[in-house]
CSV table of all heavy atoms in Angstrom, one decimal:
chain,number,residue,atom,x,y,z
A,79,TYR,N,15.5,49.5,42.2
A,79,TYR,CA,15.2,50.5,41.2
A,79,TYR,C,16.4,51.3,40.9
A,79,TYR,O,16.8,51.5,39.7
A,79,TYR,CB,14.0,51.4,41.7
A,79,TYR,CG,13.7,52.5,40.7
A,79,TYR,CD1,13.1,52.2,39.5
A,79,TYR,CD2,14.1,53.8,41.0
A,79,TYR,CE1,12.8,53.2,38.6
A,79,TYR,CE2,13.8,54.8,40.1
A,79,TYR,CZ,13.2,54.5,38.9
A,79,TYR,OH,12.9,55.5,38.0
A,80,VAL,N,17.1,51.8,41.9
A,80,VAL,CA,18.3,52.6,41.8
A,80,VAL,C,19.4,51.9,41.0
A,80,VAL,O,20.0,52.4,40.1
A,80,VAL,CB,18.8,53.2,43.1
A,80,VAL,CG1,20.1,53.9,43.0
A,80,VAL,CG2,17.8,54.1,43.7
A,81,VAL,N,19.6,50.6,41.4
A,81,VAL,CA,20.6,49.8,40.8
A,81,VAL,C,20.3,49.5,39.3
A,81,VAL,O,21.1,49.6,38.5
A,81,VAL,CB,20.8,48.5,41.6
A,81,VAL,CG1,21.7,47.5,40.8
A,81,VAL,CG2,21.4,48.7,42.9
A,82,ALA,N,19.0,49.3,39.1
A,82,ALA,CA,18.6,49.0,37.7
A,82,ALA,C,18.8,50.3,36.8
A,82,ALA,O,19.3,50.2,35.7
A,82,ALA,CB,17.1,48.6,37.6
A,83,VAL,N,18.4,51.4,37.3
A,83,VAL,CA,18.5,52.6,36.5
A,83,VAL,C,20.0,52.9,36.3
A,83,VAL,O,20.4,53.3,35.2
A,83,VAL,CB,17.8,53.8,37.3
A,83,VAL,CG1,18.2,55.2,36.6
A,83,VAL,CG2,16.3,53.7,37.2
A,84,ASP,N,20.8,52.7,37.3
A,84,ASP,CA,22.3,52.9,37.1
A,84,ASP,C,22.9,52.0,36.1
A,84,ASP,O,23.7,52.4,35.2
A,84,ASP,CB,23.0,52.8,38.5
A,84,ASP,CG,24.5,53.1,38.4
A,84,ASP,OD1,24.8,54.1,37.8
A,84,ASP,OD2,25.2,52.2,38.9
A,85,ALA,N,22.5,50.7,36.1
A,85,ALA,CA,23.0,49.8,35.1
A,85,ALA,C,22.5,50.1,33.7
A,85,ALA,O,23.3,50.0,32.8
A,85,ALA,CB,22.5,48.4,35.5
A,86,VAL,N,21.3,50.5,33.6
A,86,VAL,CA,20.8,50.9,32.2
A,86,VAL,C,21.5,52.1,31.7
A,86,VAL,O,21.9,52.2,30.6
A,86,VAL,CB,19.3,51.2,32.3
A,86,VAL,CG1,18.8,51.8,31.0
A,86,VAL,CG2,18.5,49.9,32.5
A,87,LEU,N,21.7,53.1,32.6
A,87,LEU,CA,22.4,54.3,32.1
A,87,LEU,C,23.9,54.0,31.7
A,87,LEU,O,24.4,54.5,30.7
A,87,LEU,CB,22.4,55.4,33.2
A,87,LEU,CG,21.1,56.1,33.4
A,87,LEU,CD1,21.2,57.1,34.6
A,87,LEU,CD2,20.7,56.8,32.2
A,88,ARG,N,24.6,53.1,32.5
A,88,ARG,CA,25.9,52.8,32.1
A,88,ARG,C,25.9,52.0,30.8
A,88,ARG,O,26.8,52.2,30.0
A,88,ARG,CB,26.5,51.9,33.2
A,88,ARG,CG,27.2,52.7,34.3
A,88,ARG,CD,28.0,51.9,35.3
A,88,ARG,NE,27.0,51.2,36.1
A,88,ARG,CZ,27.2,49.9,36.5
A,88,ARG,NH1,28.3,49.3,36.1
A,88,ARG,NH2,26.3,49.3,37.2
A,89,HIS,N,24.9,51.2,30.6
A,89,HIS,CA,24.9,50.4,29.3
A,89,HIS,C,24.6,51.3,28.2
A,89,HIS,O,25.3,51.2,27.1
A,89,HIS,CB,23.8,49.3,29.4
A,89,HIS,CG,23.6,48.6,28.1
A,89,HIS,ND1,24.5,47.7,27.6
A,89,HIS,CD2,22.6,48.7,27.2
A,89,HIS,CE1,24.0,47.3,26.5
A,89,HIS,NE2,22.9,47.8,26.2
A,90,VAL,N,23.7,52.2,28.3
A,90,VAL,CA,23.3,53.2,27.2
A,90,VAL,C,24.5,54.1,26.9
A,90,VAL,O,24.8,54.4,25.8
A,90,VAL,CB,22.0,53.9,27.5
A,90,VAL,CG1,21.8,55.0,26.6
A,90,VAL,CG2,20.8,53.0,27.6
A,91,ASN,N,25.1,54.6,27.9
A,91,ASN,CA,26.2,55.6,27.7
A,91,ASN,C,27.5,54.9,27.2
A,91,ASN,O,28.3,55.6,26.6
A,91,ASN,CB,26.5,56.3,29.0
A,91,ASN,CG,25.4,57.3,29.4
A,91,ASN,OD1,24.7,57.8,28.5
A,91,ASN,ND2,25.3,57.6,30.6
A,92,SER,N,27.6,53.6,27.3
A,92,SER,CA,28.8,53.0,26.8
A,92,SER,C,28.8,52.9,25.3
A,92,SER,O,29.8,52.6,24.7
A,92,SER,CB,29.0,51.6,27.4
A,92,SER,OG,28.0,50.7,26.9
A,93,ALA,N,27.6,53.0,24.7
A,93,ALA,CA,27.5,52.9,23.2
A,93,ALA,C,27.7,54.2,22.5
A,93,ALA,O,27.5,54.2,21.3
A,93,ALA,CB,26.2,52.2,22.9
A,94,ARG,N,28.0,55.2,23.2
A,94,ARG,CA,28.2,56.5,22.6
A,94,ARG,C,29.4,56.6,21.7
A,94,ARG,O,30.4,56.0,22.0
A,94,ARG,CB,28.2,57.6,23.6
A,94,ARG,CG,26.9,57.8,24.3
A,94,ARG,CD,27.0,59.0,25.2
A,94,ARG,NE,25.6,59.5,25.5
A,94,ARG,CZ,25.3,60.5,26.2
A,94,ARG,NH1,26.3,61.2,26.7
A,94,ARG,NH2,24.1,60.9,26.4
A,95,PRO,N,29.4,57.4,20.7
A,95,PRO,CA,30.6,57.5,19.8
A,95,PRO,C,31.8,58.1,20.5
A,95,PRO,O,33.0,57.8,20.2
A,95,PRO,CB,30.2,58.5,18.7
A,95,PRO,CG,28.7,58.5,18.7
A,95,PRO,CD,28.3,58.2,20.1
A,96,ASP,N,31.6,58.9,21.6
A,96,ASP,CA,32.7,59.6,22.3
A,96,ASP,C,33.1,58.8,23.5
A,96,ASP,O,33.8,59.3,24.4
A,96,ASP,CB,32.4,61.0,22.6
A,96,ASP,CG,31.2,61.1,23.5
A,96,ASP,OD1,30.4,60.2,23.6
A,96,ASP,OD2,31.0,62.2,24.1
A,97,ALA,N,32.6,57.5,23.6
A,97,ALA,CA,32.9,56.7,24.8
A,97,ALA,C,34.4,56.4,24.8
A,97,ALA,O,35.0,56.2,23.7
A,97,ALA,CB,32.1,55.4,24.7
A,98,PRO,N,35.0,56.3,25.9
A,98,PRO,CA,36.4,55.9,25.9
A,98,PRO,C,36.7,54.5,25.4
A,98,PRO,O,35.9,53.6,25.7
A,98,PRO,CB,36.8,56.0,27.4
A,98,PRO,CG,35.5,55.9,28.2
A,98,PRO,CD,34.5,56.4,27.3
A,99,VAL,N,37.7,54.4,24.7
A,99,VAL,CA,38.1,53.0,24.1
A,99,VAL,C,39.5,52.7,24.5
A,99,VAL,O,40.4,53.6,24.6
A,99,VAL,CB,38.0,53.0,22.6
A,99,VAL,CG1,36.7,52.4,22.1
A,99,VAL,CG2,38.2,54.3,22.0
A,100,ARG,N,39.7,51.4,24.7
A,100,ARG,CA,41.1,50.9,25.0
A,100,ARG,C,41.4,50.1,23.8
A,100,ARG,O,40.8,49.1,23.5
A,100,ARG,CB,41.1,50.1,26.2
A,100,ARG,CG,41.0,51.0,27.5
A,100,ARG,CD,41.2,50.2,28.7
A,100,ARG,NE,40.1,49.1,28.8
A,100,ARG,CZ,40.1,48.2,29.7
A,100,ARG,NH1,41.1,48.0,30.5
A,100,ARG,NH2,39.1,47.3,29.7
A,101,PRO,N,42.5,50.4,23.1
A,101,PRO,CA,42.9,49.6,21.9
A,101,PRO,C,43.4,48.3,22.3
A,101,PRO,O,44.0,48.1,23.4
A,101,PRO,CB,44.0,50.4,21.2
A,101,PRO,CG,44.5,51.3,22.3
A,101,PRO,CD,43.4,51.6,23.3
A,102,ASP,N,43.2,47.3,21.5
A,102,ASP,CA,43.7,45.9,21.8
A,102,ASP,C,45.2,45.9,21.6
A,102,ASP,O,45.7,46.5,20.7
A,102,ASP,CB,43.1,44.9,20.8
A,102,ASP,CG,41.6,44.7,21.0
A,102,ASP,OD1,41.1,45.0,22.2
A,102,ASP,OD2,40.9,44.3,20.1
A,103,ARG,N,45.8,45.2,22.6
A,103,ARG,CA,47.3,45.1,22.5
A,103,ARG,C,47.6,44.0,21.4
A,103,ARG,O,46.9,43.0,21.3
A,103,ARG,CB,47.8,44.6,23.8
A,103,ARG,CG,48.0,45.7,24.8
A,103,ARG,CD,48.8,45.2,26.0
A,103,ARG,NE,47.9,44.9,27.0
A,103,ARG,CZ,48.1,44.0,28.0
A,103,ARG,NH1,49.2,43.3,28.0
A,103,ARG,NH2,47.2,43.7,28.9
Side-chain angles (χ1 to χ4, degrees):
Y79 175 75
V80 170
V81 170
V83 169
D84 184 46
V86 167
L87 286 176
R88 276 189 286 139
H89 174 70
V90 169
N91 288 336
S92 71
R94 290 186 159 181
D96 59 342
V99 262
R100 289 187 295 172
D102 292 336
R103 280 191 261 152

